[in-house]
Amino acid sequence: MRSGYGNMKCGLIGEHLGHSFSPLIHNELADYSYELCELDPSELEGFLKSGMLDAFNVTIPYKKQVMPYLDEISPEALSIGSVNTVVKDKEGKLHGYNTDYFGFSHMVELSGIDISGKKAIVFGRGGAALTVCAVLRDRGVREWVVIGSKDNTPENLAKHADADIVINATPAGMYPNNGASPADLSLFPKCRLVLDLIFNPARTALILDAERRGIPYMNGLPMLVAQAAKAFEYFTGGEFEEGAIERITSLISEKTVNIVLVGMPGCGKSTVGKLIADILGRSFFDADDEFTKMHGISPAECIKAFGEDSFRELEHKTLCELGKLSSAVIATGGGAVTREFNYDPLHQNGCIFFIERELSRLARGGRPLSLSTTPEEMYRTRIDSYRRFADVTVVSNEIIQDTANKIISEFKR
């Protein structure tokens, strides 16, 4: 972090900013203050005239709307038609720049795929899409097609089934509206790269689709960090440190990803999870406890009253909400893996750990499904699902601290 800028007041303006990682990133870049300023469209003009910030970034939906209020706009931003960085000079005049261009260029380079001569389909008609198209043009993309909400129809998309690259520059799938996607990748059988500018969740529905199909993909976090580093230069007149983009991207990714625990009932997920949360300074969530809070009935009571299938449907709703979190430790119910539809919600922001413990050491009290069968039979029917869900398997012994340390070590690796 660069020091010496403590007197500067910086920030981010946008309409909905609850998902933003920008303060985390800028706090790593410099010691200026960086605040989130949520604005209704009616408040935009008043804010820009107030001069309350020395410099600020701009996000959805104001990257084009701010331009008429600026005193000077860089040639690059004018050419693109979008501003995401604004700096106030000593006379109080506002200067607009576009650092998204630098950010998206970094994202393309990091993908390791040469996009020249390819065809791209770009979802979105806002400021971010304008920047994307400028980078595609300058990097020699053969053809790019821009799809807005009105022309996003199966019939229209079918005309572009030969697209090599799919890019999402819309808010579709962004927190808190996780699960939405601008398109089904089955429509683009020749697709060889998916770039989603969204960074929260880490894996949007579009990225999960690409992952299942074995298509290389990247989310928007590297772009976010790179554009912030470039904005730092406009804010301060200095240069960001070599390696800062890679360091901060890795740090934010580690800080925000969830640690998700799966395993047999009674294997110690909740006990281990609480310990991990304490060690790492994270919030802990027990899925069964959250189920009770959300639905007003405990899992055991729900299974007894309505049956397992009804319970699993309600459990899924609980896991969908928990999966939206960032920086959390989540202990799931022992049977969460028996329903494949729980994978995406847990995987979208999470690193999933399977705690494997000797069956004779499993606690069974108060678990109706555990009491209705033998541990051996339950393990036999679930083991493939545990392994399919898990990114990492950790063998647990009697010492809870050892299990927690193993998980933390694997997580940081």
Side-chain angles (χ1 to χ4, degrees):
M1 181 181 71
R2 295 289 183 88
S3 60
Y5 305 107
N7 292 328
M8 288 184 64
K9 295 177 64 176
C10 303
L12 171 69
I13 68 169
E15 192 167 19
H16 304 292
L17 303 178
H19 66 286
S20 179
F21 295 163
S22 290
L24 289 172
I25 296 168
H26 282 272
N27 287 342
E28 290 294 323
L29 287 167
D31 61 353
Y32 46 66
S33 67
Y34 194 92
E35 59 186 278
L36 300 178
C37 302
E38 288 194 349
L39 304 174
D40 290 328
S42 62
E43 299 174 306
L44 180 62
E45 181 177 0
F47 172 86
L48 293 171
K49 291 181 178 179
S50 71
M52 63 179 290
L53 295 180
D54 299 306
F56 54 92
N57 294 121
V58 185
T59 190
I60 298 170
Y62 300 129
K63 293 183 179 184
K64 292 190 287 187
Q65 286 87 329
V66 298
M67 296 178 72
Y69 301 102
L70 305 180
D71 299 289
E72 186 175 321
I73 301 174
S74 72
E76 183 177 63
L78 275 175
S79 173
I80 294 170
S82 173
V83 164
N84 78 307
T85 299
V86 177
V87 178
K88 183 178 67 175
D89 66 19
K90 293 180 180 179
E91 285 74 42
K93 293 184 177 181
L94 298 178
H95 300 257
Y97 307 92
N98 186 302
T99 66
D100 279 338
Y101 184 98
F102 177 82
F104 186 66
S105 293
H106 173 75
M107 187 177 179
V108 171
E109 290 174 8
L110 202 59
S111 76
I113 293 178
D114 181 8
I115 66 173
S116 63
K118 306 290 196 303
K119 177 176 178 176
I121 187 163
V122 180
F123 290 93
R125 292 189 178 276
L130 292 173
T131 303
V132 165
C133 292
V135 173
L136 298 179
R137 176 198 65 210
D138 294 346
R139 286 181 171 266
V141 167
R142 167 174 54 86
E143 179 185 357
W144 61 91
V145 179
V146 178
I147 302 294
S149 57
K150 292 182 179 179
D151 46 2
N152 188 348
T153 64
E155 295 76 18
N156 190 40
L157 297 183
K159 301 174 185 176
H160 308 291
D162 58 338
D164 304 290
I165 307 164
V166 173
I167 302 170
N168 180 34
T170 78
M174 184 171 69
Y175 175 88
N177 299 313
N178 304 43
S181 178
D184 188 320
L185 291 177
S186 65
L187 296 170
F188 310 106
K190 295 186 177 181
C191 178
R192 295 298 177 265
L193 177 63
V194 171
L195 301 175
D196 196 328
L197 274 56
I198 292 171
F199 51 87
N200 185 12
R203 299 179 184 91
T204 60
L206 181 67
I207 283 179
L208 290 168
D209 192 3
E211 189 175 64
R212 281 189 291 270
R213 298 173 189 278
I215 301 172
Y217 63 83
M218 186 170 294
N219 73 13
L221 183 59
M223 175 180 174
L224 179 71
V225 176
Q227 68 80 24
K230 194 66 176 177
F232 160 85
E233 295 189 339
Y234 287 119
F235 286 4
T236 67
E239 294 183 357
F240 62 83
E241 298 171 348
E242 184 176 354
I245 296 174
E246 293 75 16
R247 175 182 64 82
I248 296 173
T249 300
S250 179
L251 177 67
I252 299 300
S253 180
E254 181 182 316
K255 275 188 174 183
T256 55
V257 69
N258 295 325
I259 297 174
V260 181
L261 307 179
V262 301
M264 286 280 286
C267 72
K269 297 184 294 294
S270 295
T271 304
V272 171
K274 289 175 184 176
L275 184 55
I276 292 171
D278 286 343
I279 293 171
L280 298 180
R282 291 175 169 231
S283 297
F284 171 75
F285 297 87
D286 182 290
D288 285 349
D289 290 344
E290 297 304 312
F291 178 97
T292 303
K293 293 176 186 177
M294 182 178 293
H295 304 295
I297 186 173
S298 73
E301 292 168 338
C302 184
I303 292 170
K304 184 177 180 180
F306 306 108
E308 184 181 1
D309 287 343
S310 294
F311 163 68
R312 293 300 176 198
E313 291 294 332
L314 293 176
E315 180 186 48
H316 177 64
K317 293 180 180 179
T318 304
L319 295 178
C320 283
E321 291 305 310
L322 288 175
K324 292 180 182 181
L325 299 172
S326 298
S327 308
V329 180
I330 302 168
T332 66
V337 299
T338 64
R339 300 299 188 270
E340 190 66 29
F341 56 41
N342 288 329
Y343 179 71
D344 283 0
L346 295 175
H347 181 57
Q348 64 179 335
N349 268 336
C351 184
I352 303 176
F353 292 84
F354 167 37
I355 299 179
E356 187 159 24
R357 194 176 188 192
E358 189 177 317
L359 297 182
S360 63
R361 295 178 175 177
L362 300 177
R364 302 185 70 196
R367 296 175 170 87
L369 295 180
S370 297
L371 296 173
S372 65
T373 185
T374 64
E376 291 76 14
E377 178 61 21
M378 181 178 286
Y379 181 82
R380 185 188 67 78
T381 59
R382 292 183 179 179
I383 183 58
D384 288 344
S385 297
Y386 286 132
R387 290 174 176 164
R388 187 168 64 254
F389 269 55
D391 297 299
V392 181
T393 296
V394 173
V395 178
S396 175
N397 57 26
E398 288 291 339
I399 303 174
I400 298 299
Q401 182 76 51
D402 288 351
T403 304
N405 287 340
K406 286 179 185 176
I407 291 173
I408 291 172
S409 176
E410 291 291 340
F411 174 69
K412 290 188 173 181
R413 183 185 301 178

